[in-house]
Amino acid sequence: MPADLLATPDLLRSVFRRHAAGVAVITARGEAGPVGFTATSLTSVSAEPPLLSFGVGTGASSWPAIRAADHVGVHILGEHQQELAATFARSGADRFGPPTVWREGHEGVPVLDGVVAWLVGRVVTRVPAGDHRIVLAEVVHGDPSGTGRPLLYHQGRFQRLRD
């Protein structure tokens, strides 16, 4: 059996590449327009009240808008949306330009069309966590009626569920 490794950023990344995670896009209304990013850190926190959390890097281009936002959008992507996930993950991409289809939703939050499900949450707090912040939001609106199977992220790639 190989020896265990000392804790490093590379060790953490290597271990979590083996952890399959659902893919979400987080959106907010920024001063200069809509912002968004791909996230795999989405977590359901509480049912009463309905709370969720996600992590965002403080160096991310979306962070200033997320830091100032009162509300955020959370979109669960389907396996048919690998390109959308890649667009929102790519630095410098025009995330809200064509072919992305979106509309202004509750509280002015950008809502993506064609997703498996979406929520709008009121930001409750932002907790410092190393070079990230954990955003805690209370769900105020949503729609779980989209169709399709969820998109996953595993081994550094977007993946589909296998039966």
Side-chain angles (χ1 to χ4, degrees), residues 1-2 7 14 32-34 36 38-39 50 52 71 76 87-88 92 104 109 119 122 136 140 146 151 162:
M1 182 188 283
S14 293
T38 300
L52 60 84
H71 292 81
I76 307 302
T87 297
F88 276 84
E104 187 173 299
V109 172
L119 298 166
R122 180 184 58 79
L136 187 67
V140 294
L151 181 63
R162 293 189 186 109

Side-chain angles (χ1 to χ4, degrees), residues 79-129:
E79 61 185 11
H80 64 287
Q81 296 178 303
Q82 289 184 26
E83 188 54 41
L84 183 66
T87 297
F88 276 84
R90 196 168 28 252
S91 181
D94 181 4
R95 296 172 178 158
F96 290 90
T100 302
V101 180
W102 64 282
R103 67 190 182 284
E104 187 173 299
H106 299 281
E107 306 297 337
V109 172
V111 174
L112 303 175
D113 286 347
V115 296
V116 173
W118 62 265
L119 298 166
V120 170
R122 180 184 58 79
V123 175
V124 174
T125 192
R126 297 162 188 88
V127 180

